[in-house]
Every structure is written in structure tokens, then in C-alpha cells.
Amino acid sequence: MVDVSKWPLFSLLSIEELATVRQACIFGTSANEAIYITHENELFVLGFNCSSCLGTGDSLSTIVPKKLDFLRGKKVISLSYGSGPHVLLATDDGQLFAWGHNSYSQLGNGNTSQGVSPGLITSNLQNKKVKEVACGSHHSMALTQDGEVYGWGYNGNGQLGIGNNGNQLTPCRLTTLQGLCIQQVRQPPNVIMSGVVVYAKENKNNDQYIVSKHDSLMTHLSLTIVSGYGHCLALTDEGLLYAWGANTYGQLGTGNKSNHLSPVQVMADKERIVEVAACHSTHTSAAKTQSGQVYMWGQCRGQSIVMPHLTHFTSTDEVFACFATPSVMWRLMSMEHDDFLTISEALKKEFDNPETADLKFSVEGKYIHVHKAVLKIRCEHFRLMFRSQWTEDQQEVIEIGQFPYPVYRSFLQFLYMDDVDVSPEDAIGLLDLATSYCENRLKRLCQQIIKRGITVENAFTLLSAAIRYDAEDLEEFCFRFCVNHLTQVTQTGAYWQMDGAVLKEFIIRASRCGAFKN
């Protein structure tokens, strides 16, 4: 799940407010407007409020979230924004709302007056249920449940695909697509999608504006199209990626900055692509592969990246949060938890779960529930233990007496989570266990915890442990700390409780380092 606090504007929200967010969209010329929907289906806005795009009834900016009451319990199923900005929103009962900038009638309400509050759009949509909306820079499109596409707003370049270049004050159906089953529309300045082929506006001459086919993509049964400021990306049903349009910043991912008038395949050497992302507010492109790898290219924080670059992100949304200019969201983003768990997430969830465990460890009278298979996979010690000739292999409960409960639980938790979270003092006992079980990675993690947690009070205790467990690097670290804080550490109880032989060796080593010169 993406952390919405990656977007700077959401840093204005409290932790409690962030926890309520179910869906969100950051937009605007400086990524300074936000809309978010809570788990209770309440809609809030905040930000600069350019062109009254927050829908609060005025043009005042706000750093405190304001609630808009027009939803009345309805669920938002689609939301998009234009460059004005203007906002379109569709609800689960098929209603269409619009507000914000309206100089080109992009709100579809029959006039050019700015929409200061969300208005219900009904012209030419009577008895129609809208299921998806998409905004171009200053025009709008909507898809109904029966597969009809409507467009309105600015049409100077024929981007509405209605056969002329006149602006449309209200929704106008694209009759050229009649008879085709349209599956999706998404942010299309010049492009819309059908279930069979891609259609794009083509200028034949000054007087002819038509909807036409891209022959290179006609062999694919279905396509997902996303549009940037001046470029488009198409993802086929086979996971192939095509790009065309402007390429000033390398946003096509072709390795150069040459524009392409027709679709060209990119990332052909990569594994199957499952998601593509672009946004008409930016020149940034992103894609996600079947294995979860996320690539980005185009204008990324002012740099021109002309080839898809592998990132450390887990979603395309994070690319736009951290590298797009402005750092907008390219879609209405959902914060709802995915029921699917990765292997590591599933293991974390099942640690110490009595419902699925097949073995218990009893430590200081407390049970720790585990799974034999996991222990055998993760630890050589248990792989040897759970053999037929070992008595432990036949036991349902194994008694552990040589280690305290917090230490042994932390060890088992490490096998499930590959990480440890213990105090420096408990890390000493865990270091002992890691040494006994020959768990070198755990041994290194314990040493790191001890180094981070060393203080004047525990320095000699930690030094003694490092010597006892033959941790040379840790021993040197603790020794240097003790020498550098010699006056303070020699006044602690741990110093006077130190083993005589160890204390003698410390004094000799410290004197060699010049600790007693004064």
C-alpha cells in the first residue's frame, strides 16, 4: 500500500487524518490541491483552490481539510482533473459531478462560468449512468455503463473526435464509435480506447477532424491507454508497451528525444508489463512489470531520462510522488488494503499463531507457537533437529532452558521476519544464541544493535559480552568507547563487577593506547 505522506501536501494532515484516507488525488500546476475520500465515504479537500477547483463555494485556499457534503453517502468510482484545473467525479449510482475552471465549457453545464461548487451534469445524459470520467487539459470525456462515450469542452484541435473543431458546451456523444463496446477512458487529450482498437484524432486538413485507427495496434484485443502532456502509452493484452507523440524529455523511452507520429514498441527486452502510467500535467512515464519491478523515464526531477530506468519503488504512484514535476497523482489512488499477501507478509502474520502452528516451544513457562517447515527452511540447527532419530522430532512441545523467553522469542521471530527488535542488553543474550546456533547474519544484527545502544552505563557489560562471544569487531568498538569515556565508565557498577582477568586485560590495553598519560 502506498504511503500518501510521500506527497508533500499530505504532510499537512495529522496521523489520525491520514489513517482515515481511503482514496486520494493530488493535482494542480504545483501539486497544491488535494481531494481525498475517507473510509466513511466522506469527501474532503485542501490546498490552494485555483479556479475554485476545491469546490468549497469560494476561491479561498485552506491548509485545513474541508468537508464537501454533496456525496451524501454515495461512493466515488471515478475521478479525473484537467489543467485549469477542473474536476470530474462519477458516483456508484451513475451520477456525474463537475466543478472548477470552465472557460471552455469543460464542466458540461452549458455555460462558461466558473464552478465554485460541485454541480450535477445531466444535459444529454438523461437516463444514462456514467461509470468513468477523464479530463484532458481543457476538455472532458465520460463513459456510460452501456458503452457510450461523450465529450465536451475545448475542441480547437478536434480532440473530442466528433467530426468538427467547435467547442461543446454540454456532453456530446461520439457517434463514430457507435456499435463498439468501449471498456475504458483515461486522461485522453487526443486518445480514447475501445475494446478492439485504438482511435486517435487525426488532422487530415484544416476542415476535417475525424476519429481514425492506429493500424499497428489493431491486432490486439484490448488496450490500456494513458496520456502525458504530449505523449501516449499503450499497453496491450500481451503485456507489450507502445509509445508515441512528443519526446522532448525522453518520455517515450526510446533512448533518444525524437518525436514519433506512430506507435513504437519500447521495453521490448523486459518482462511482461502489467501497468503503465502517465499524466497530462507532466512529461513523466512509468511502468510496472509482472514481477513488481517499477521503471520510470522522461522528465524526472528536471532530468531527462530517455530509457526506462529501474527504481526501488513498489508502485508507479511512487514515481509521480517523488520524481514528477509537479508531484501530482496520475490517477485516483486507492489506499484500501489488498487482500493478497507476499510470502514475507504471510510469514510475519503467522508467527506465534496457535491456529496454524504444529509445534510449541516452552520458555520460562510461556509458549511460542511455530511451524516446523519454516524452521527447517530457515535454520540449519532446526533442520538437523527435526530428523527422525532426534527425540525433538516427535515432540509437540520442546522445552528451552538455556535462554530467557525474550531472547528465544526474538530468535524465532527473526526466522519469520528476517529482522530483530531487542534492547542492547537482550541483544547480548541473542548474540550468545546466534553464536551457539551458528547464525552469522543474526550475530551481525545483534552486534549492530549493541553498537547503536551502547552507553556509559552498559559499556563494560557489552565489552564483556563481546569478549565472551568472540565478537572481535564488537569487542574493538566497545573497547574504544570505554577508552574515550574512561572517567565516566570507571565509575559505573558494571566496571567494578567486571571479571578480574578481563579487567586486567582492559587496563593493559588501555595503557598501551595512552589512556593513563595524565
Side-chain angles (χ1 to χ4, degrees):
M1 188 176 68
V2 180
D3 179 7
V4 293
S5 63
K6 288 179 180 288
W7 281 266
L9 189 57
F10 273 127
S11 64
L12 295 171
L13 302 186
S14 67
I15 295 175
E16 292 75 19
E17 288 170 327
L18 287 172
T20 68
V21 178
R22 179 172 63 86
Q23 294 172 294
C25 187
I26 297 259
F27 59 101
T29 54
S30 300
N32 49 11
E33 275 99 15
I35 294 172
Y36 70 89
I37 300 121
T38 69
H39 294 283
E40 301 299 322
N41 291 321
E42 294 178 325
L43 189 146
F44 289 85
V45 295
L46 73 155
F48 188 64
N49 204 17
C50 178
S51 300
S52 300
C53 64
L54 296 184
T56 55
D58 53 45
S59 58
L60 302 177
S61 61
T62 175
I63 61 172
V64 177
K66 288 186 177 181
K67 181 181 176 182
L68 303 186
D69 290 322
F70 72 97
L71 286 180
R72 297 181 182 87
K74 299 172 184 176
K75 190 173 182 179
V76 176
I77 60 171
S78 183
L79 183 145
S80 186
Y81 62 88
S83 300
H86 73 286
V87 179
L88 298 181
L89 181 152
T91 61
D92 55 352
D93 61 352
Q95 290 189 317
L96 171 64
F97 293 87
W99 65 94
H101 191 257
N102 196 33
S103 294
Y104 300 94
S105 304
Q106 57 264 51
L107 299 187
N109 56 11
N111 60 60
T112 57
S113 300
Q114 197 161 277
V116 298
S117 300
L120 180 63
I121 309 303
T122 58
S123 296
N124 300 329
L125 293 173
Q126 293 87 352
N127 302 317
K128 301 292 182 181
K129 290 189 175 182
V130 173
K131 73 172 187 177
E132 192 166 0
V133 293
C135 295
S137 179
H138 295 94
H139 72 283
S140 305
M141 303 195 82
L143 173 65
T144 66
Q145 287 185 359
D146 52 9
E148 296 176 349
V149 176
Y150 290 79
W152 62 97
Y154 182 69
N155 193 35
N157 295 316
Q159 51 263 66
L160 295 183
I162 58 176
N164 60 61
N165 66 337
N167 295 348
Q168 294 297 309
L169 275 67
T170 57
C172 177
R173 185 182 175 191
L174 277 68
T175 56
T176 313
L177 300 180
Q178 191 168 353
L180 291 174
C181 181
I182 311 299
Q183 302 296 325
Q184 184 181 45
V185 293
R186 181 181 293 168
Q187 291 183 344
N190 295 314
V191 181
I192 55 179
M193 187 200 80
S194 82
V196 181
V197 293
V198 173
Y199 290 78
K201 187 278 297 179
E202 224 179 56
N203 289 25
K204 293 295 184 181
N205 53 53
N206 291 335
D207 300 317
Q208 190 176 11
Y209 297 86
I210 66 171
V211 175
S212 65
K213 301 177 182 179
H214 275 315
D215 292 338
S216 60
L217 297 178
M218 286 186 65
T219 59
H220 301 285
L221 293 176
S222 61
L223 296 160
T224 297
I225 302 293
V226 292
S227 298
Y229 182 84
H231 77 290
C232 292
L233 304 176
L235 178 62
T236 76
D237 53 339
E238 297 174 342
L240 305 179
L241 175 60
Y242 291 84
W244 66 94
N247 199 25
T248 309
Y249 303 92
Q251 59 264 48
L252 299 186
T254 56
N256 55 53
K257 295 184 180 181
S258 300
N259 297 346
H260 283 268
L261 300 179
S262 300
V264 57
Q265 188 177 355
V266 294
M267 294 185 69
D269 59 331
K270 302 294 189 290
E271 64 178 324
R272 184 188 184 98
I273 309 297
V274 296
E275 182 176 84
V276 288
C279 172
H280 60 72
S281 296
T282 73
H283 306 282
T284 306
S285 301
K288 186 175 182 178
T289 69
Q290 193 168 31
S291 67
Q293 292 183 322
V294 174
Y295 290 81
M296 69 179 186
W297 62 97
Q299 189 179 36
C300 300
R301 281 200 179 176
Q303 299 183 65
S304 295
I305 299 177
V306 298
M307 287 289 288
H309 175 77
L310 180 61
T311 72
H312 66 277
F313 298 129
T314 58
S315 75
T316 56
D317 301 288
E318 293 175 285
V319 171
F320 286 82
C322 302
F323 280 90
T325 304
S327 57
V328 294
M329 290 181 179
W330 70 276
R331 59 180 170 184
L332 176 63
M333 198 175 70
S334 176
M335 258 46 76
E336 292 179 310
H337 289 278
D338 193 337
D339 291 336
F340 175 80
L341 296 177
T342 64
I343 293 175
S344 61
E345 290 169 340
L347 285 177
K348 289 179 182 180
K349 183 181 178 182
E350 293 306 314
F351 173 66
D352 202 12
N353 183 355
E355 294 182 3
T356 60
D358 56 4
L359 178 68
K360 291 186 288 188
F361 285 98
S362 178
V363 190
E364 296 182 337
K366 301 177 183 177
Y367 288 131
I368 309 171
H369 302 82
V370 294
H371 309 75
K372 280 186 179 181
V374 174
L375 301 189
K376 287 194 288 186
I377 291 170
R378 293 281 288 152
C379 179
E380 179 66 21
H381 174 81
F382 290 121
R383 197 154 39 243
L384 294 173
M385 176 184 288
F386 299 129
R387 291 181 173 178
S388 57
Q389 64 267 34
W390 285 49
T391 56
E392 287 87 350
D393 189 48
Q394 308 301 320
Q395 296 175 346
E396 294 183 359
V397 179
I398 298 177
E399 297 282 345
I400 300 295
Q402 65 269 44
F403 300 105
Y405 175 82
V407 169
Y408 209 77
R409 179 181 171 82
S410 295
F411 166 59
L412 295 174
Q413 193 169 15
F414 163 76
L415 297 181
Y416 279 75
M417 302 183 182
D418 204 30
D419 198 8
V420 287
D421 183 18
V422 295
S423 67
E425 289 71 26
D426 281 337
I428 295 174
L430 195 54
L431 178 62
D432 181 18
L433 187 154
T435 303
S436 300
Y437 286 13
C438 298
E439 287 290 333
N440 291 328
R441 171 171 164 74
L442 179 58
K443 191 173 178 179
R444 290 193 298 270
L445 288 174
C446 291
Q447 292 183 48
Q448 292 171 9
I449 292 171
I450 292 170
K451 287 180 180 180
R452 289 196 299 265
I454 193 169
T455 65
V456 168
E457 292 297 326
N458 66 17
F460 270 113
T461 302
L462 300 182
L463 174 61
S464 298
I467 295 171
R468 184 164 66 253
Y469 301 131
D470 196 26
E472 295 181 2
D473 180 60
L474 179 62
E475 179 186 343
E476 181 64 22
F477 177 86
C478 294
F479 172 77
R480 290 293 175 185
F481 184 93
C482 290
V483 169
N484 292 335
H485 303 82
L486 190 61
T487 301
Q488 296 98 315
V489 297
T490 55
Q491 297 174 12
T492 64
Y495 176 79
W496 297 108
Q497 295 170 9
M498 183 178 268
D499 178 82
V502 175
L503 180 59
K504 181 179 179 181
E505 179 61 26
F506 170 77
I507 294 173
I508 293 172
R509 287 183 63 188
S511 65
R512 290 172 182 166
C513 294
F516 304 113
K517 284 183 178 179
N518 297 324

